[in-house]
Amino acid sequence: MYIDEAVIAGVITVGLMVAFLGGVGLFIWRDAHKKKNQ
């Protein structure tokens, strides 16, 4: 498989987006559970 610099940059960009959205989603999920328990 031919790996180009643009492909590597795209994979890194997608990975960072998924990690960021996952982190935000995890924060919202934890915050919602904290407010529900109080």
Side-chain angles (χ1 to χ4, degrees):
M1 181 176 160
Y2 179 71
I3 299 295
D4 193 14
E5 293 170 357
V7 174
I8 296 171
V11 169
I12 292 172
T13 301
V14 171
L16 289 173
M17 286 173 56
V18 169
F20 177 75
L21 292 176
V24 171
L26 186 64
F27 174 78
I28 292 172
W29 180 71
R30 286 184 175 175
D31 193 50
H33 277 276
K34 284 181 183 176
K35 292 184 177 178
K36 182 187 280 187
N37 290 337
Q38 288 180 351

